[in-house]
Amino acid sequence: MDAARLFAEHHASLFRYLARLTGDADAAADAAQEAFVRMVERPPAPGETRAWLFRVGTNSALEAARTRTRRARLLDARPERAPLGDAPPAPDEALERAERRRAVQAALATLPERDRRILLMREEGFSHREIAEAVGTTTGSVGTMIARALDRLAAALPLDEDDDDADTAD
């Protein structure tokens, strides 16, 4: 196993997927690193590397999220111990991007876990076979699952007022 080659091939895609899944670049970096460490310690079967990395990365990210939730509950008891963050940037363009990102993240958060994983893996260019392996289903059902997940995502996204104006101008 050539870990450096596998890292070069899969890290960027795994990181993007995990960043979208978690909404947190630091958590995504940690989960991706954990996936590659585990790959070196206990390599997956040949031909299953990508799906295996995404499954391990997903599990690592979900475990980290559970840990953060437990910590948040502890901090609720003593809010004075919570760290403070910097103010967000002020430019209009950054604000619009942040609003869109929040809207998509909020819509994704309303979806069942399996739908989120399927859509994020699809966005990363996974084949139906790879998605099926990663989520534990049959290859034949992946297309239907993607279509249903996209329908649920579209229903959860708020309509853009600019799009409404463009529709009425026709």
Side-chain angles (χ1 to χ4, degrees):
M1 173 184 65
D2 183 358
R5 180 185 59 77
L6 291 172
F7 183 87
E9 283 179 22
H10 300 295
H11 180 265
S13 177
L14 177 61
F15 173 79
R16 281 190 308 272
Y17 161 77
L18 292 169
R20 291 175 182 145
L21 179 69
T22 63
D24 181 344
D26 291 333
D30 290 345
Q33 177 179 331
E34 181 64 24
F36 281 99
V37 166
R38 289 184 187 179
M39 180 192 67
V40 170
E41 292 174 348
R42 283 175 259 141
E48 296 179 12
T49 302
R50 186 173 187 210
W52 186 91
L53 281 169
F54 276 70
R55 187 171 46 249
V56 171
T58 297
N59 291 340
S60 180
L62 294 175
E63 177 59 28
R66 286 189 289 271
T67 300
R68 280 191 305 277
T69 300
R70 284 191 301 273
R71 286 184 184 147
R73 275 187 297 205
L74 293 173
L75 285 174
D76 283 345
R78 301 213 30 216
E80 70 278 4
R81 296 188 63 184
L84 300 176
D86 294 333
D92 289 348
E93 186 175 321
L95 179 62
E96 286 180 30
R97 273 193 246 139
E99 287 173 354
R100 283 188 187 136
R101 187 172 26 258
R102 280 192 296 272
V104 171
Q105 287 172 340
L108 280 170
T110 66
L111 299 179
E113 175 66 28
R114 189 178 215 180
D115 285 355
R116 273 196 312 273
R117 290 172 58 192
I118 288 168
L119 290 178
L120 293 174
M121 287 178 177
R122 177 181 176 263
E123 183 66 22
E124 285 303 318
F126 271 60
S127 69
H128 284 202
R129 182 186 57 77
E130 291 172 318
I131 293 171
E133 288 174 12
V135 299
T137 190
T138 63
T139 303
S141 66
V142 171
T144 301
M145 293 170 76
I146 289 171
R148 289 179 180 161
L150 285 170
D151 287 343
R152 288 185 194 106
L153 180 64
L157 281 170
L159 291 176
D160 188 351
E161 293 174 15
D162 294 336
D163 290 344
D164 289 342
D165 294 342
D167 291 340
T168 58
D170 290 339

